[in-house]
Amino acid sequence: MAAMRKPLVTAALLAASLSASAAPAHEHGAARLDVAVEPSRVVFMLELPLDSLLGFERAPRTDAERKAADVAIARLRDAGALFRVDPAAGCKLERVELRSGALSLGGAATSTDGHDDLDATFEFACTQAQKAGFAEIGLFAALPRLQRVDVQAVTRKGQMKATLKRPTTRLSLAR
Ligand SMILES: [Zn+2]
């Protein structure tokens, strides 16, 4: 039983390691991406300052801002273009969840310090997730203001950290 249960712990392990991480939580031009590779799924958790997404960090006020927000949200929901897992893993996008107080998404609260984020979860169902040797990260193409992605990944083999800088798109998941 212990052997069967072990992979299911990775998401919880990731959450625990994230809260202990010293990386800055909110930096304009940057994003945090946490990746959990489990036997039958790969989950990407993105923490993105709204500045990196839109250039402003409050609810849209003008038609142009509303349109920019709608375009950005549509890009994030089109996660098949944002995250392409190694075809060997046989993954299919299953769920996208977006949360942002300023954009009235997911019931999130608005920040009180004038800096607002968008948090997103992208879940892929995979036939053989452990075979994923890499993932192509399309965030730079989708988000022109984004310059850097700080990645933390948890696979069955352990934890790893990586930094992706524009224009790099490939995240290695092999060790
Ligand atoms: Zn900010």
Side-chain angles (χ1 to χ4, degrees), residues 26-28 49-52 57 113-117:
H26 183 104
E27 183 185 334
H28 294 181
L50 276 189
D51 185 84
S52 301
E57 301 198 318
D113 64 358
H115 291 276
D116 222 325
D117 292 309

PDB file of all heavy atoms in Angstrom, residues 26-28 49-52 57 113-117, ligand 1:
ATOM      1  N   HIS A  26       5.994  37.989  -5.607  1.00  0.00           N
ATOM      2  CA  HIS A  26       5.373  38.909  -6.560  1.00  0.00           C
ATOM      3  C   HIS A  26       6.447  39.817  -7.138  1.00  0.00           C
ATOM      4  O   HIS A  26       6.928  40.731  -6.497  1.00  0.00           O
ATOM      5  CB  HIS A  26       4.308  39.736  -5.828  1.00  0.00           C
ATOM      6  CG  HIS A  26       3.546  40.665  -6.730  1.00  0.00           C
ATOM      7  ND1 HIS A  26       2.264  40.410  -7.147  1.00  0.00           N
ATOM      8  CD2 HIS A  26       3.892  41.845  -7.300  1.00  0.00           C
ATOM      9  CE1 HIS A  26       1.856  41.413  -7.923  1.00  0.00           C
ATOM     10  NE2 HIS A  26       2.829  42.287  -8.033  1.00  0.00           N
ATOM     11  N   GLU A  27       6.857  39.541  -8.363  1.00  0.00           N
ATOM     12  CA  GLU A  27       7.893  40.351  -9.009  1.00  0.00           C
ATOM     13  C   GLU A  27       7.438  40.626 -10.434  1.00  0.00           C
ATOM     14  O   GLU A  27       7.157  39.708 -11.196  1.00  0.00           O
ATOM     15  CB  GLU A  27       9.217  39.565  -9.005  1.00  0.00           C
ATOM     16  CG  GLU A  27      10.374  40.352  -9.592  1.00  0.00           C
ATOM     17  CD  GLU A  27      11.642  39.491  -9.671  1.00  0.00           C
ATOM     18  OE1 GLU A  27      11.791  38.543  -8.885  1.00  0.00           O
ATOM     19  OE2 GLU A  27      12.459  39.789 -10.551  1.00  0.00           O
ATOM     20  N   HIS A  28       7.356  41.924 -10.788  1.00  0.00           N
ATOM     21  CA  HIS A  28       6.864  42.275 -12.119  1.00  0.00           C
ATOM     22  C   HIS A  28       7.813  41.742 -13.188  1.00  0.00           C
ATOM     23  O   HIS A  28       9.024  41.831 -13.054  1.00  0.00           O
ATOM     24  CB  HIS A  28       6.720  43.795 -12.245  1.00  0.00           C
ATOM     25  CG  HIS A  28       5.666  44.348 -11.339  1.00  0.00           C
ATOM     26  ND1 HIS A  28       5.344  45.678 -11.285  1.00  0.00           N
ATOM     27  CD2 HIS A  28       4.844  43.730 -10.449  1.00  0.00           C
ATOM     28  CE1 HIS A  28       4.374  45.862 -10.404  1.00  0.00           C
ATOM     29  NE2 HIS A  28       4.058  44.698  -9.870  1.00  0.00           N
ATOM     30  N   PRO A  49       2.083  37.812 -11.389  1.00  0.00           N
ATOM     31  CA  PRO A  49       1.648  39.180 -11.071  1.00  0.00           C
ATOM     32  C   PRO A  49       0.813  39.714 -12.241  1.00  0.00           C
ATOM     33  O   PRO A  49       1.179  39.494 -13.392  1.00  0.00           O
ATOM     34  CB  PRO A  49       2.963  39.953 -10.944  1.00  0.00           C
ATOM     35  CG  PRO A  49       3.986  38.911 -10.624  1.00  0.00           C
ATOM     36  CD  PRO A  49       3.540  37.671 -11.360  1.00  0.00           C
ATOM     37  N   LEU A  50      -0.273  40.399 -11.938  1.00  0.00           N
ATOM     38  CA  LEU A  50      -1.105  40.916 -13.029  1.00  0.00           C
ATOM     39  C   LEU A  50      -0.316  41.851 -13.929  1.00  0.00           C
ATOM     40  O   LEU A  50      -0.610  41.973 -15.113  1.00  0.00           O
ATOM     41  CB  LEU A  50      -2.336  41.642 -12.468  1.00  0.00           C
ATOM     42  CG  LEU A  50      -3.532  40.770 -12.101  1.00  0.00           C
ATOM     43  CD1 LEU A  50      -4.717  41.660 -11.781  1.00  0.00           C
ATOM     44  CD2 LEU A  50      -3.889  39.807 -13.215  1.00  0.00           C
ATOM     45  N   ASP A  51       0.702  42.512 -13.353  1.00  0.00           N
ATOM     46  CA  ASP A  51       1.547  43.381 -14.191  1.00  0.00           C
ATOM     47  C   ASP A  51       2.192  42.593 -15.325  1.00  0.00           C
ATOM     48  O   ASP A  51       2.340  43.101 -16.437  1.00  0.00           O
ATOM     49  CB  ASP A  51       2.629  44.055 -13.336  1.00  0.00           C
ATOM     50  CG  ASP A  51       3.439  45.044 -14.158  1.00  0.00           C
ATOM     51  OD1 ASP A  51       2.981  46.181 -14.304  1.00  0.00           O
ATOM     52  OD2 ASP A  51       4.502  44.658 -14.680  1.00  0.00           O
ATOM     53  N   SER A  52       2.595  41.348 -15.042  1.00  0.00           N
ATOM     54  CA  SER A  52       3.232  40.521 -16.071  1.00  0.00           C
ATOM     55  C   SER A  52       2.227  40.096 -17.131  1.00  0.00           C
ATOM     56  O   SER A  52       2.591  39.768 -18.256  1.00  0.00           O
ATOM     57  CB  SER A  52       3.848  39.264 -15.435  1.00  0.00           C
ATOM     58  OG  SER A  52       4.808  39.617 -14.466  1.00  0.00           O
ATOM     59  N   GLU A  57      -2.697  46.288 -12.281  1.00  0.00           N
ATOM     60  CA  GLU A  57      -2.988  45.297 -11.231  1.00  0.00           C
ATOM     61  C   GLU A  57      -4.249  45.658 -10.464  1.00  0.00           C
ATOM     62  O   GLU A  57      -4.263  45.701  -9.243  1.00  0.00           O
ATOM     63  CB  GLU A  57      -1.791  45.169 -10.295  1.00  0.00           C
ATOM     64  CG  GLU A  57      -0.535  44.734 -11.026  1.00  0.00           C
ATOM     65  CD  GLU A  57       0.534  44.189 -10.104  1.00  0.00           C
ATOM     66  OE1 GLU A  57       0.747  44.773  -9.033  1.00  0.00           O
ATOM     67  OE2 GLU A  57       1.149  43.176 -10.474  1.00  0.00           O
ATOM     68  N   ASP A 113      -2.596  45.441  -1.025  1.00  0.00           N
ATOM     69  CA  ASP A 113      -1.368  46.231  -1.118  1.00  0.00           C
ATOM     70  C   ASP A 113      -1.164  46.840  -2.513  1.00  0.00           C
ATOM     71  O   ASP A 113      -0.096  47.357  -2.819  1.00  0.00           O
ATOM     72  CB  ASP A 113      -0.152  45.369  -0.729  1.00  0.00           C
ATOM     73  CG  ASP A 113       0.058  44.208  -1.708  1.00  0.00           C
ATOM     74  OD1 ASP A 113      -0.756  44.062  -2.639  1.00  0.00           O
ATOM     75  OD2 ASP A 113       1.039  43.475  -1.531  1.00  0.00           O
ATOM     76  N   GLY A 114      -2.196  46.773  -3.362  1.00  0.00           N
ATOM     77  CA  GLY A 114      -2.072  47.363  -4.691  1.00  0.00           C
ATOM     78  C   GLY A 114      -1.376  46.473  -5.696  1.00  0.00           C
ATOM     79  O   GLY A 114      -1.224  46.847  -6.852  1.00  0.00           O
ATOM     80  N   HIS A 115      -0.944  45.300  -5.269  1.00  0.00           N
ATOM     81  CA  HIS A 115      -0.316  44.336  -6.173  1.00  0.00           C
ATOM     82  C   HIS A 115      -1.189  43.100  -6.239  1.00  0.00           C
ATOM     83  O   HIS A 115      -1.393  42.435  -5.236  1.00  0.00           O
ATOM     84  CB  HIS A 115       1.083  43.947  -5.688  1.00  0.00           C
ATOM     85  CG  HIS A 115       2.061  45.073  -5.789  1.00  0.00           C
ATOM     86  ND1 HIS A 115       2.734  45.376  -6.945  1.00  0.00           N
ATOM     87  CD2 HIS A 115       2.453  45.982  -4.874  1.00  0.00           C
ATOM     88  CE1 HIS A 115       3.516  46.421  -6.744  1.00  0.00           C
ATOM     89  NE2 HIS A 115       3.363  46.817  -5.489  1.00  0.00           N
ATOM     90  N   ASP A 116      -1.694  42.810  -7.421  1.00  0.00           N
ATOM     91  CA  ASP A 116      -2.597  41.673  -7.528  1.00  0.00           C
ATOM     92  C   ASP A 116      -2.022  40.624  -8.464  1.00  0.00           C
ATOM     93  O   ASP A 116      -1.326  40.942  -9.423  1.00  0.00           O
ATOM     94  CB  ASP A 116      -3.974  42.132  -8.030  1.00  0.00           C
ATOM     95  CG  ASP A 116      -5.108  41.440  -7.275  1.00  0.00           C
ATOM     96  OD1 ASP A 116      -4.926  40.254  -6.917  1.00  0.00           O
ATOM     97  OD2 ASP A 116      -6.147  42.075  -7.055  1.00  0.00           O
ATOM     98  N   ASP A 117      -2.329  39.393  -8.158  1.00  0.00           N
ATOM     99  CA  ASP A 117      -1.840  38.264  -8.946  1.00  0.00           C
ATOM    100  C   ASP A 117      -2.975  37.589  -9.689  1.00  0.00           C
ATOM    101  O   ASP A 117      -4.148  37.792  -9.380  1.00  0.00           O
ATOM    102  CB  ASP A 117      -1.233  37.192  -8.015  1.00  0.00           C
ATOM    103  CG  ASP A 117       0.029  37.656  -7.348  1.00  0.00           C
ATOM    104  OD1 ASP A 117       0.925  38.144  -8.045  1.00  0.00           O
ATOM    105  OD2 ASP A 117       0.116  37.534  -6.110  1.00  0.00           O
TER     106      ASP A 117
HETATM  107 ZN    ZN B   1       2.669  44.238  -8.568  1.00  0.00          ZN
END
